[in-house]
Amino acid sequence: MLKRHSLDAVIIGAGVVGAACAYYAARAGLSVAVVDSGPVAGGTTGAGEGNLLVSDKEAGPELDLALLSSRLWTELAAVLPREVEYEPKGGLVVAPDEATVKALRNFAEGQRAAGVDAVEVPANALHDLEPHLAPGLAGGFHYPQDAQVQPAQAAARLLAASGAEVHLGEEVTQVLLDRGAVRGVRTPRRELLAPAVVNAAGTWGGHIAELAGTSLPVLPRRGFVLVTEPLPRVVRHKVYAADYIADVASGSAALQSSAVVEGTPAGPVLIGATRERVGFDRSLSTQALRRLASQAAALFPVLAGVRVLRTYHGFRPYLPDHLPAIGPDPRRPGLLHACGHEGAGIGLAPATGLLIAAALTGAEPALPVHPFRPDRFGSGPGAADTPEEHP
Amino acid sequence: MPTSPSDPAGPPRSAGRPRSPQPSAPTGPASSGPAGPVRSGGADPVDLAVVGAGPAGLAAAVTAARLGLRVTLLDAGDRPGGQFYRHPAPGLGAARPEALHHGWAEFAAREAALCEHAAAGRITYLPLHHVWTVVPAEAAEAAEARRGQAAPPTGWTLHAVAGHAPDERAAAVTARAVLVATGAYERQLPFPGWTLPGVVGAGGAQAMLKGGLVLPGKRVVVAGSGPLLLAVAGSLAAAGAAVPAVVEAAAYTAYAGRVPALLRNPGKLVEAAGYGGALARHHVRLLTRHAVTEAHGTDRIEAVTVARLDRDWRPLPGTARRIPCDALAVGHGLVPQLELATGLGCATRPGPDAAVALEVDALQRTSVPGIWSAGETGGIGGAQLALTEGELAAHSVAAALSPERAATDSGRRVERLARRRARLRAFADAMAAAHRPGDGWTGWLRDDAVVCRCEEVPAGRIREAAQDLGARDARTVKLLTRAGMGWCQGRMCGPAVAALAGQEPVADRRPFSCPVPLSHLAELPATDR
C-alpha cells in the first residue's frame, strides 16, 4: 500500500545511531520515519556496553566527533528520562610499566591539544581512584570526560523523543530509485516515500548500500562481554589497560583482547572487550572468554572470586579505516550513510545525528565531514576518488 | 482424564528398595584426581558424554555402556534420577522412598546397572557436575580451517562447574558424541502476590515432598495447569495436607478431541484413574477452567482469589472468590531446558504446549551432527517417554560411532522402542495441546504485579517497553527493563515476558547454563577455540 504524506527522510535502522539521526532531524524541523527489520536496539546497540569514550581515541577526526558527542550527551542527559542512566563516571587507563606510561603520555599530549581532559595519575595515587586495582601498576591517566549510558534505553528514549513515525519488524526489501536518485524504501508492509534515505543499519549497512545500488565495505567485528553477578561498587570508573587502545586501532582479523572493566548502576560488572573478524559467527569462543577473564582478574584480583552470570556478543560495524561513514553518498543522490562506527556507536551517535540533520537541511556542519565521506573506499558506481588515507 | 509424568497418590506398588539408595562412588577423574581443574585428556575422548542423569540420561548411559561404548555421565544433582526420581537424602532415614513414586522399579534397575557399569569402568559417573557449555573440541587453528565447511567437528568438550559453592572446581570432558538430556523446568505464569512466602512451584512442592519429606503448608491450594497438578494434590493429601482445591486453567473436555491418542495409551488411563480415586478419597475439589488470579497476605500467603476463565484463559468478571490457605503450589507445565543445545546451534520447534523444544529425528539426532537429545528437551512427555528415548538414543549413537557393531537384534529392539516412542509422543502432544496457556492469561496480571522477581520488574514496565519503547521481543524487553537479567536468567519470567511483549516463545539462548566462577574462565585451556 502506498503511504502518501510528505516525509523528508526515511532512516533505516532503530539502533542508537538511527535514533539520534531521527532525533536531530526532527529537532531541525524535518518529518522523518524510522524503519527497522527488528526491534529498537536489536543489533549492535543492544549488545554494547554504552561507552561514551574520548580516552581511547587519538587526536584526529574521530576524536573531534567524540568530543562533540560528549557535549551533546551532556545536553541529552538533561532532557531524556533518567532511565538512560547517563553516568559521567570517567575513565582510567592503566599502564603496566614505565615505557607504557611514556607512550600514554605522548598519546594524551595529542588528545589535550584537541580538547580532551587527561590527568596523569602516578602509581601511588591509582588506588585512590580504584581501591581494588591490582598492585604493581606503573601509573595511568584519568579521563573525566568518559561516560556511560544504558545503550538500549538511550536508543529507545532518543527514538521516542524524536516523535518520528516508527516501523519496527519491517525489513527494507528495496530502496526505491527514480532516474538514479533515491525516492524512498519498500518493506513487505508499505512504501515510505521521501527525497532522502539515511542508511543507519550499522553492521548491516553494507547490505543497504547494495540495495541502493552502491557499496560500503562494512564488516562485522565480533566482541564478547562478560557480565558478573551483582556486586557492591568494586569498580568506580571505566578501567582498562593501555593495550586496549592498540587493539581498537588494529585492523587485524585475529582475536584481540584487552579487558575493559566497569561497574553498572544495577550492580553487575561488565568485562569487555574482544575483537575478531569472523563474519557473523554466533558460536561461543572459550578462547575469548579465557582472555577476558584472565585480563580482568589481572586488573582487579578481587574479580577472580566472583561468578559470571552470562556472556553475550555483538558485531561491531567495522570499516577498514576505523572511521564511520557519515553524510551524502555522491554516487547515489538522495542516499546518506550514518554507519560503520565500529565499537563507538553509542558514543558517536549524537554528533552523527547532528551532522546528518545538517546534511538533510543544507545547514553548515558542526565539524568538517570530509574524513567521513562514504565514497572514500572506492568501488561502486561512479566512485570519485579512492584515497588510502583521510586527511 | 489425563495422566501424569509423576506420582500416584495412593499406596505404591513397590518394587522393593533399590540395591542401594546411593550410586557407587564416582570413578571418574573428578573424585580421584588432584585438586584443580580436572580434564579427561583431549587425546582420549570417551565415546559418549551424557548430560543429565534423569530418566532419559540414565537410560541412555546404561544402554550405551551395555552396547560397548565408553560413557561419561555428568549431572548437576548429587544422585541419579533427576527431578523425577528425586528421593530423600539418606540422612533423612526414609524407610520407603519408593512410596512417593511410581515406576520406581524402572529407576532402581537402571541405577543398579549404573553402579555396575561404573564399578567396571564402562561409565564414569560425575554427579555435582553442572555443564555450562559444550564446544567443538579442537584447536583454534582447526576450527579456523573448518570454518565455512560442512564437515562436523570430530569431538566435543564439555565444560562443567563441579562440586558445591564456594569450593567449585572446573572440570572438562571430551567426547566423540554428546547426548543432551537436560530435562525441563517449571513454567510459571505470574499473578499479583506470587512472590509471597508460602507460594511454591507445583514441581517444587513435589520435590520438597520427595526429597525432604516436607509439606509446604497445612492447607495447600494447588493451581496452574497440567497433569502434574493432580499428582501433586494427591501426594500432598496423602502426606497429610488439606487441599481445598485443585485449580486447573484448562478444561478437561479439551481431551475429548484426542481420544485415539488416549486409547493407544491404556496404561496412562489406569494411572489417571488412580489420581481421580485418590482425590475423591481425600475430598479434593477439582475446579477446571479456573485460575488463581491473586494471592493475599502480608508476611505470608493467607488466601487466594480464584476466578473462572473464558476459553482464552481471560478471567470472567464477577466470578472471583477467596479460598483461605497457608500455601499455594502453582505451576503451568514444564519448559524444556535447551541452552546447551541452542548454544551449539541445534534447531528448535514450537511445541503444542507453546514451549520451544528441540527438533529431533526418529533416531534422537538433533540438527547438529554429533549431538543427540532425549527426554523433555525434545518436548515435554514424562518419564516413560524419556526412558524410551534415552535407550533409543544410545542405540542410535552406538550405530553412528561403530556401525560394524550395530547387531541385528539391536535393530528389532530399536524398532520396538521407536513404536513406543511414537505412541507416547502422540499422547504427550495431545496433553500438551490441552494445557497450552490461553492468550488471555495476562488479563490477571495487573501493572503493579512483579514479573521478574530477581530484578523486581513489574508488569507495567514490561508493557511500557513493549508498547511505547519499541521492544518487540523478550530480549529487547530485557535490555530495556532488566527483566530476565538476574540469577535465574529468565527461567522464571521468560514465558511471561514473551507473552507481554506479544512474541511467540522463542528458544532460550544462555551461553552459560549456570553461573561460572570467573577464575574457571581464566583457566580454560588455551587450545580451545
Side-chain angles (χ1 to χ4, degrees):
Chain A
M1 59 201 121
L2 199 63
K3 185 143 191 172
R4 285 248 176 252
H5 83 113
S6 60
L7 285 171
D8 296 308
V10 173
I11 295 163
I12 305 172
V16 71
V17 173
C21 289
Y23 179 84
Y24 286 101
R27 248 188 29 163
L30 302 180
S31 164
V32 295
V34 175
V35 58
D36 195 301
S37 61
V40 68
T44 312
T45 296
E49 297 170 272
N51 290 338
L52 316 179
L53 298 189
V54 297
S55 57
D56 65 337
K57 294 171 183 67
E58 65 177 321
E62 195 192 9
L63 181 59
D64 296 339
L65 200 61
L67 282 165
L68 172 58
S69 263
S70 167
R71 288 195 294 280
L72 295 172
W73 269 120
T74 316
E75 293 172 21
L76 289 171
V79 296
L80 294 177
R82 62 181 170 77
E83 281 86 353
V84 304
E85 293 180 3
Y86 173 79
E87 211 188 345
K89 55 166 50 168
L92 181 64
V93 188
V94 296
D97 51 45
E98 205 43 56
T100 312
V101 172
K102 223 173 194 170
L104 281 181
R105 208 172 282 142
N106 288 334
F107 192 73
E109 204 58 47
Q111 291 175 316
R112 282 202 195 98
V116 171
D117 197 1
V119 185
E120 181 159 356
V121 185
N124 62 13
L126 281 175
H127 292 84
D128 297 339
L129 289 173
E130 287 292 345
H132 295 283
L133 259 183
L137 292 162
F141 276 79
H142 178 218
Y143 290 85
Q145 287 154 311
D146 282 356
Q148 185 173 10
V149 290
Q150 208 280 22
Q153 279 285 353
R157 302 291 173 171
L158 272 172
L159 190 59
S162 76
E165 172 187 324
V166 180
H167 302 286
L168 299 175
E170 288 185 36
E171 186 178 355
V172 169
T173 53
Q174 197 184 345
V175 173
L176 302 169
L177 300 177
D178 184 13
R179 277 162 291 177
V182 164
R183 66 175 185 91
V185 302
R186 176 173 290 144
T187 77
R189 308 262 293 270
R190 73 195 86 231
E191 276 183 0
L192 293 164
L193 300 182
V197 169
V198 180
N199 171 16
T203 313
W204 297 266
H207 171 66
I208 298 297
E210 250 173 61
L211 283 182
T214 177
S215 70
L216 198 64
V218 187
L219 292 172
R221 200 176 184 196
R222 185 172 72 175
F224 281 93
V225 174
L226 303 179
V227 186
T228 72
E229 61 188 300
L231 299 170
R233 199 96 207 203
V234 293
V235 182
R236 300 176 181 179
H237 302 78
K238 189 172 290 277
V239 181
Y240 60 92
D243 44 358
Y244 174 73
I245 295 165
D247 281 3
V248 171
S250 158
S252 166
L255 173 65
Q256 290 161 311
S257 156
S258 44
V260 180
V261 184
E262 63 193 299
T264 59
V269 168
L270 303 183
I271 301 164
T274 59
R275 292 165 189 271
E276 57 189 323
R277 287 216 323 273
V278 291
F280 286 103
D281 182 349
R282 296 194 169 273
S283 58
L284 188 69
S285 162
T286 48
Q287 190 66 239
L289 304 181
R290 181 181 67 82
R291 293 224 217 156
L292 283 178
S294 52
Q295 290 167 347
L299 277 181
F300 289 96
V302 64
L303 292 179
V306 310
R307 265 152 244 270
V308 179
L309 286 194
R310 61 196 176 96
T311 179
Y312 61 86
H313 64 269
F315 299 99
R316 303 178 186 88
Y318 164 92
L319 281 168
D321 60 2
H322 301 283
L323 287 179
I326 304 172
D329 190 332
R331 300 165 298 182
R332 181 63 75 201
L335 179 67
L336 295 87
H337 297 283
C339 57
H341 296 73
E342 205 174 328
I346 316 290
L348 302 180
T352 302
L354 197 65
L355 292 179
I356 290 292
L360 287 171
T361 56
E364 187 65 28
L367 283 176
V369 291
H370 190 69
F372 311 116
R373 66 198 186 285
D375 60 333
R376 64 186 189 271
F377 304 103
S379 76
D385 55 346
T386 60
E388 288 302 311
E389 293 169 29
H390 52 85
Chain B
M1 281 287 285
T3 64
S4 149
S6 194
D7 316 342
R13 312 155 301 280
S14 169
R17 300 229 32 189
R19 197 172 54 106
S20 156
Q22 289 210 65
S24 64
T27 57
S31 64
S32 55
V38 174
R39 315 208 173 268
S40 76
D44 184 28
V46 296
D47 295 318
L48 173 65
V50 177
V51 187
L58 190 54
V62 300
T63 306
R66 183 165 53 74
L67 294 172
L69 300 186
R70 285 201 310 129
V71 179
T72 295
L73 173 62
L74 303 100
D75 189 52
D78 59 350
R79 279 167 310 145
Q83 295 299 328
F84 182 71
Y85 297 120
R86 184 187 278 269
H87 39 296
L92 291 172
R96 288 170 42 251
E98 64 276 16
L100 287 164
H101 292 82
H102 75 255
W104 186 258
E106 288 170 317
F107 168 67
R110 286 174 178 85
E111 191 194 28
L114 171 62
C115 292
E116 263 168 48
H117 288 304
R122 291 183 293 265
I123 295 180
T124 301
Y125 168 49
L126 303 177
L128 288 175
H129 276 59
H130 201 139
V131 176
W132 57 268
T133 193
V134 181
V135 291
E138 56 193 347
E141 305 80 58
E144 191 53 46
R146 206 168 48 75
R147 195 179 297 285
Q149 295 172 19
T154 52
W156 307 92
T157 301
L158 297 85
H159 292 286
V161 176
H164 285 294
D167 301 314
E168 304 116 312
R169 293 169 293 106
V173 167
T174 56
R176 295 168 66 197
V178 175
L179 174 72
V180 178
T182 45
Y185 55 93
E186 195 158 32
R187 173 160 57 192
Q188 294 295 350
L189 305 182
F191 49 89
W194 74 304
T195 55
L196 278 172
V199 181
V200 298
Q206 189 83 328
M208 283 164 76
L209 209 51
K210 284 182 183 177
L213 307 173
V214 188
L215 282 169
K218 292 195 180 75
R219 190 175 158 81
V220 190
V221 171
V222 177
S225 191
L228 177 68
L229 301 186
L230 299 176
V232 170
S235 304
L236 291 170
V243 179
V246 174
V247 185
E248 162 64 59
Y252 277 127
T253 50
Y255 284 91
R258 328 248 173 204
V259 171
L262 301 181
L263 290 182
R264 283 205 308 278
N265 290 272
K268 294 282 183 184
L269 293 179
V270 173
E271 197 181 321
Y275 296 138
L279 294 184
R281 244 187 342 273
H282 293 287
H283 308 289
V284 174
R285 220 174 358 151
L286 175 62
L287 297 171
T288 58
R289 204 164 269 180
H290 276 72
V292 167
T293 56
E294 184 162 7
H296 309 276
T298 42
D299 300 330
R300 178 180 175 88
I301 185 169
E302 289 159 12
V304 293
T305 293
V306 170
R308 210 177 138 67
L309 304 180
D310 71 7
R311 305 178 64 86
D312 296 324
W313 292 29
R314 203 167 281 106
L316 292 170
T319 63
R321 65 184 134 133
R322 265 169 108 101
I323 301 179
C325 60
D326 63 359
L328 170 67
V330 61
H332 295 81
L334 302 173
V335 185
Q337 179 135 308
L338 300 184
E339 59 260 352
L340 288 181
T342 54
L344 285 162
C346 297
T348 59
R349 62 179 178 88
D353 52 358
V356 175
L358 290 182
E359 193 85 71
V360 179
D361 72 6
L363 293 171
Q364 303 298 136
R365 292 177 296 201
T366 70
S367 66
V368 174
I371 307 292
W372 279 255
S373 155
E376 311 287 45
T377 39
I380 304 307
Q384 285 301 319
L385 179 56
L387 290 168
T388 306
E389 289 195 345
E391 198 178 326
L392 189 56
H395 284 282
S396 174
V397 172
L401 293 187
S402 45
E404 70 282 0
R405 271 204 311 227
T408 42
D409 59 327
S410 177
R412 295 191 55 180
R413 177 76 186 148
V414 166
E415 274 172 36
R416 214 162 44 240
L417 288 166
R419 274 199 306 276
R420 193 196 304 165
R421 171 186 189 255
R423 177 167 58 78
L424 290 166
R425 269 277 167 228
F427 178 80
D429 286 353
M431 229 167 37
H435 293 281
R436 178 192 179 97
D439 293 337
W441 74 267
T442 52
W444 69 60
L445 205 49
R446 288 199 316 256
D447 275 353
D448 63 342
V450 167
V451 171
C452 167
R453 34 202 315 171
C454 302
E455 297 286 334
E456 295 179 350
V457 184
R461 286 202 30 228
I462 292 168
R463 289 190 171 113
E464 181 204 21
Q467 289 158 18
D468 306 339
L469 294 177
R472 298 169 52 83
D473 54 15
R475 175 179 178 270
T476 313
V477 167
K478 174 173 85 174
L479 293 175
L480 290 172
T481 67
R482 302 195 57 79
M485 276 195 185
W487 276 103
C488 87
Q489 290 289 293
R491 286 178 179 84
M492 199 77 113
C493 65
V497 171
L500 288 173
Q503 181 198 22
E504 288 299 310
V506 292
D508 290 329
R509 287 191 69 90
R510 292 184 195 97
F512 293 177
S513 78
C514 67
V516 183
L518 186 112
S519 56
H520 291 196
L521 298 180
E523 289 158 15
L524 283 164
T527 51
D528 265 24
R529 59 181 295 208

